[in-house]
Amino acid sequence: MRALARLAAITLAFMSSHAFAADENAPNRKPVRAIAEARLSLGGQGILPLYLSSDWSLPLPAISRAIIVLHGRLRNADEYYMAAHTAQVAAGDDGKTALMIVPQFLAEIDIEAHKLPADTLRWSLEGWEHGDAALAPNPVSSFEALDAILAKLSDRRIFPNLKQIVIAGHSGGGQVAQRYAIAGKGEAALSRQHIDVRYVVANPSSYAYFSSARPVPAIAASCPGYNSWKYGMDGRPPYLANATPDALEQRYVEREVVYLLGTLDTNPDHSALDKSCMAKAQGPTRYARGHAYADAMAKRDRGTPNHRVWDVAGVGHDGDKMLTSKCGLAALFDIPGCGAER
């Protein structure tokens, strides 16, 4: 009953907003409406709020797939949890054996507005998108938070039949998913348990490049920071500073990545689009930047990337529609129907 009440409350908040796509245009400098109910302790370093579709404090033998959905720049995990639930229902029987997880990367303004305990992790407004350390209570990288979720999922006492984990994000969450696919250290424990991991990168504003070449070299030439992390390999945060760019690229090439690109996410003036020169050097729109990046990776001499590019026809910058599209369901649940890759 409690789970149903929680979902009803989230649904109400979701319906009362200006819709999922429109909300992406809102400023991210105001407190979030809702704080996720579940909590994950990161080894005494801080507490991460998150939404869970099932209680993972007890054994979950029916769960064979776990899907981590990463919210966008508004930190609106409640709305992304609703989108995750919609996708889970649309997946039918495949959804019934899935655990949906939506972590929430909060900012100081959220802690203050909701009077949260001092041990609640909080980041700068956008630093969590590229692995920065938390501002308090300890300098925990947002990537370490994802490592902790994967460590929890590797516990065979709780998940005896887990076979696959999907880490998916749209917009700002897509930026997290793409960078974590490069940097993440959480796969090692999962590999020992024979649990596969897939990364789903949907409509991010930018990508982390491994070389200094860019799709729009004229812009890069006049942009001093174009190759700085999160756009390139210079000045990487401590979480991944010890690995060489070559090692990071080789890891990324080997990982399973699906790029989901909305064919209508083509507005160069979208209010939530990164319009810095660093991002513009990657192309004019999210759709163009995604294809340019995938093409660049395919041409690199590091072996054939274990990556796929799927166009989501008729969808713009809308996380709900992206995740619940045929290609979204294929990426999250392996449900047929996405069609041919571009």
Side-chain angles (χ1 to χ4, degrees), residues 18-26 79 170 270 316-321:
H18 296 299
F20 205 56
D23 230 20
E24 291 288 352
N25 298 326
E79 296 187 11
H170 176 262
H270 190 281
H317 199 64
D318 187 317
D320 187 50
K321 290 181 179 179

Side-chain angles (χ1 to χ4, degrees), residues 4-342:
L4 286 173
R6 180 184 63 191
L7 187 58
I10 293 171
T11 304
L12 234 128
F14 181 79
M15 292 174 66
S16 65
S17 72
H18 296 299
F20 205 56
D23 230 20
E24 291 288 352
N25 298 326
N28 64 344
R29 298 181 179 275
K30 59 182 181 181
V32 296
R33 285 192 303 261
I35 304 296
E37 287 186 352
R39 299 289 183 268
L40 177 65
S41 175
L42 273 64
Q45 296 296 298
I47 301 295
L48 180 74
L50 67 172
Y51 287 104
L52 299 170
S53 61
S54 298
D55 180 2
W56 66 0
S57 66
L58 303 170
L60 294 171
I63 297 299
S64 60
R65 184 191 311 262
I67 300 176
I68 302 169
V69 178
L70 302 168
H71 59 70
R73 70 191 188 101
L74 301 185
R75 309 179 304 283
N76 49 343
D78 56 330
E79 296 187 11
Y80 275 81
Y81 181 65
M82 187 60 206
H85 174 73
T86 302
Q88 184 180 23
V89 171
D93 289 342
D94 291 305
K96 294 175 183 177
T97 58
L99 171 66
M100 311 303 288
I101 305 166
V102 182
Q104 192 168 30
F105 299 99
L106 297 172
E108 189 65 49
I109 54 175
D110 307 318
I111 306 298
E112 295 171 355
H114 293 272
K115 297 180 172 55
L116 297 177
D119 61 356
T120 308
L121 287 162
R122 78 290 306 259
W123 286 264
S124 67
L125 287 172
E126 296 176 355
W128 57 272
E129 292 182 356
H130 37 96
D132 279 3
L135 301 177
N138 290 291
V140 177
S141 166
S142 53
F143 293 163
E144 290 179 276
L146 292 176
D147 288 345
I149 294 174
L150 296 188
K152 175 73 175 181
L153 293 172
S154 72
D155 187 347
R156 285 302 192 187
R157 295 169 300 177
I158 304 296
F159 300 100
N161 298 308
L162 187 66
K163 297 180 176 62
Q164 185 182 52
I165 295 171
V166 179
I167 302 172
H170 176 262
S171 193
Q175 294 190 52
V176 181
Q178 198 265 330
R179 274 74 175 188
Y180 189 72
I182 292 172
K185 302 171 185 176
E187 276 201 32
L190 298 170
S191 179
R192 291 192 292 270
Q193 299 290 349
H194 305 289
I195 299 172
D196 297 327
V197 181
R198 174 184 301 155
Y199 303 86
V200 179
V201 178
N203 292 342
S205 266
S206 66
Y207 299 79
Y209 275 75
F210 295 98
S211 75
S212 59
R214 291 294 183 276
V216 191
I219 294 179
S222 59
C223 182
Y226 85 96
N227 203 43
S228 296
W229 183 263
K230 59 183 178 178
Y231 305 96
M233 291 292 115
D234 297 343
R236 300 184 303 283
Y239 179 90
L240 64 162
N242 292 332
T244 66
D246 283 349
L248 291 170
E249 182 176 6
Q250 189 58 48
R251 179 192 299 171
Y252 186 61
V253 166
E254 293 170 357
R255 287 180 168 171
E256 184 184 2
V257 179
V258 176
Y259 304 100
L260 285 181
L261 303 174
T263 60
L264 298 185
D265 201 349
T266 55
N267 180 4
D269 298 315
H270 190 281
S271 62
L273 178 69
D274 186 343
K275 302 180 188 68
S276 67
C277 63
M278 294 84 78
K280 286 184 175 180
Q282 300 186 12
T285 67
R286 294 185 187 87
Y287 183 72
R289 292 172 189 177
H291 277 289
Y293 184 79
D295 290 345
M297 286 302 303
K299 293 174 183 174
R300 298 277 288 162
D301 189 21
R302 296 284 176 182
T304 302
N306 187 24
H307 302 171
R308 290 170 286 175
V309 184
W310 290 346
D311 279 359
V312 182
V315 177
H317 199 64
D318 187 317
D320 187 50
K321 290 181 179 179
M322 290 292 292
L323 294 180
T324 58
S325 68
K326 288 184 177 180
C327 287
L329 294 176
L332 298 181
F333 297 97
D334 290 307
I335 295 175
C338 178
E341 302 176 35
R342 172 175 158 174

